[in-house]
Amino acid sequence: MDVLFATLTVVTFFPVLGVIVLLFTPKEQKDTIRWIAVGASLITFLLSLVMLIQFNPNDPGMQLVVRAPWIQIGSNWNMEFHLGIDGASLLLVLLTTFLTPIAIFSSWTAVEERVKEYMIFFLLLEVGMVGVFVALDLFLFYVFWEFSLVPMYLLVGIWGGSNRMYAAIKFFLYTMAGSILMLLAILWLGINVGTFSYTDMLGKVPAAAQGLLFLAFAAAFAIKVPVWPLHSWLPDAHVEAPTAGSVILAGVLLKLGTYGFLRFNLGLFPEAARQYAPAIAVLAVIGIIYGAIVSYPQKDVKKLVAYSSVSHLGFVMLGLFALNAQGIQGAVLQMINHGLSTGALFLLVGMIYERRHTRELAQFGGLWKVMPLYGTIMLIVSLSSMGLPGLNGFVGEFAILLGAWGAGQPGGPFGSYIYAALASLGVILAAVYMLWMFQKMFLGKVENPANEGLADLNWREVAVMVPLLIMIFWIGLYPAPFFNLMSPAVNQLVQVLNGAAVALR
């Protein structure tokens, strides 16, 4: 019973209670269904705040640990129900529980067909995402990882745009294919190390085997991030997904990949991480510049935001594989920032799509005169996405560039400072495509008669955006609490990575 009522178990599985209530709610009562889904996700968020209160920010180890026998095969192999969090995973759980009720609330008028099934899949998706961030048994992690694919596949495939089935199948096949190699690596680890527990496995993976294991895990995570050139599924999935699906896809699902690199590739295979860091940094820098260049000529504003994710997540990968405290802390914070800023951008794109049923940039112009509140919020979010000082994006990117610069020093994993210099170019390019997008949509005269009578944001849309704006300013002006939460865990990881550097000499 202690396991069932432990804080992490409750936070992870509370949305299931909402699903059970929804199953007994008549499908005709659409507003009741919506309130139940919003209520379940809001309570999950409040429970995650309880988890935050119980968390000791000075302890670098796993906390709130839940551990119980689960599956026993023979006398040697035991898979456990093993959950726990450190400062990094805590922030990502909070991001998930924060964004989910916002995404569900934003679907209030956008989804009118099969509302009951839509809300059920959304709550199940939340279970899968939180489970990935808290699972400490590798088999359990794999179960949550695969489970999170199914609700998103159905959300895109049923409630998506005209080309939804193509996008949904492409998303599913890409991510499933990468996961097969990770499953094989988990089996190898369980058999040869003698445990599936992440914490028991630390420091016990033979150096000779780390290279192949690193690549097997990286194949799954690189597709999910996505790292260039494995990104082609992302624009299709974003364009076809419903607005709330895009918010969660960009806000949380892509972080499953970057979190996987942080937790497993760096934690379990530190020597291989040292060896592969320069190659991954090259891919990260290409992704930063490629994503920014491809964003600029997009005619569909949603596709522009989707390609910008390739660039932003390149920064996250660069920070992670700088393998120092500055880079990794910047990467974790940038995961949060990307979830907030890009999630907000997708919400804003969805709001104008509900009014005009088009996302073509050529259809707009002068919107700031017609919708001043909408234009103001779009400007703030665009500036945060491009990394303006005082807003959240700047803090994360600055720490990542600091880490990448340090990685070019003697003893660092990179051979020169060129990685940081080229990544800086991505900051400038981000300003170019975001300001170009803003100018096309909001400045100048209202020349299209279809835009003249557009209504500005209503109270529900403002309520959706305000929490995101508060977080954007909070992280931009006072990021210390976020760094304080993650610092002990990151510093402990950096010590392991530094030990691997010594072993390789």
Side-chain angles (χ1 to χ4, degrees), residues 109-418:
T109 55
V111 174
E112 287 292 342
E113 299 295 327
R114 304 176 72 175
V115 176
K116 181 174 173 177
E117 293 92 333
Y118 177 87
M119 295 302 175
I120 287 174
F121 291 139
F122 230 100
L123 292 176
L124 291 176
L125 180 61
E126 184 175 26
V127 173
M129 294 185 297
V130 173
V132 166
F133 294 133
V134 301
L136 292 181
D137 181 282
L138 267 64
F139 183 78
L140 182 62
F141 169 82
Y142 185 79
V143 170
F144 280 123
W145 175 273
E146 291 296 293
F147 179 77
S148 67
L149 293 182
V150 179
M152 180 52 76
Y153 164 76
L154 293 170
L155 286 170
V156 176
I158 297 175
W159 290 275
S162 57
N163 207 18
R164 56 186 178 273
M165 283 314 299
Y166 168 77
I169 291 172
K170 191 174 181 181
F171 160 76
F172 194 88
L173 290 181
Y174 261 68
T175 47
M176 188 78 181
S179 302
I180 298 300
L181 290 174
M182 181 171 68
L183 176 61
L184 293 175
I186 290 173
L187 287 172
W188 190 97
L189 285 165
I191 293 169
N192 290 279
V193 182
T195 177
F196 288 95
S197 166
Y198 168 79
T199 51
D200 292 349
M201 208 176 279
L202 288 172
K204 296 179 182 176
V205 182
Q210 286 191 19
L212 284 177
L213 293 169
F214 179 97
L215 292 175
F217 274 80
F221 301 146
I223 290 171
K224 185 65 75 96
V225 172
V227 173
W228 181 91
L230 304 171
H231 64 281
S232 69
W233 64 269
L234 181 67
D236 291 323
H238 268 310
V239 169
E240 298 302 327
T243 297
S246 292
V247 172
I248 292 299
L249 181 60
V252 183
L253 271 183
L254 304 186
K255 311 306 179 303
L256 304 188
T258 50
Y259 171 78
F261 274 109
L262 171 70
R263 175 68 63 219
F264 299 103
N265 284 79
L266 301 190
L268 290 180
F269 320 122
E271 294 176 26
R274 281 264 161 202
Q275 292 173 322
Y276 285 109
I280 292 180
V282 169
L283 296 179
V285 170
I286 292 174
I288 291 169
I289 296 174
Y290 169 84
I293 291 175
V294 175
S295 295
Y296 180 77
Q298 296 304 318
K299 297 176 181 176
D300 182 327
V301 63
K302 197 174 186 185
K303 190 173 274 190
L304 182 153
V305 178
Y307 273 112
S308 76
S309 290
V310 178
S311 183
H312 290 304
L313 290 165
F315 276 102
V316 175
M317 291 300 295
L318 184 66
L320 287 177
F321 281 87
L323 304 183
N324 52 37
Q326 299 90 336
I328 295 174
Q329 288 186 30
V332 175
L333 189 63
Q334 196 61 7
M335 292 184 212
I336 308 299
N337 291 336
H338 179 260
L340 298 172
S341 299
T342 306
L345 282 172
F346 278 123
L347 284 170
L348 291 165
V349 173
M351 289 170 188
I352 196 66
Y353 183 78
E354 278 195 57
R355 288 163 169 76
R356 289 282 282 107
H357 301 290
T358 179
R359 297 186 298 261
E360 293 293 321
L361 281 168
Q363 294 291 321
F364 301 112
L367 286 184
W368 209 348
K369 295 176 180 173
V370 183
M371 305 171 67
L373 182 56
Y374 179 74
T376 303
I377 294 176
M378 178 64 95
L379 179 61
I380 294 170
V381 176
S382 299
L383 293 174
S384 81
S385 182
M386 71 177 74
L388 189 79
L391 301 174
N392 59 335
F394 172 77
V395 184
E397 289 182 356
F398 181 79
I400 288 170
L401 292 175
L402 200 63
W405 190 270
Q409 294 175 349
F414 304 166
S416 74
Y417 309 115
I418 191 69

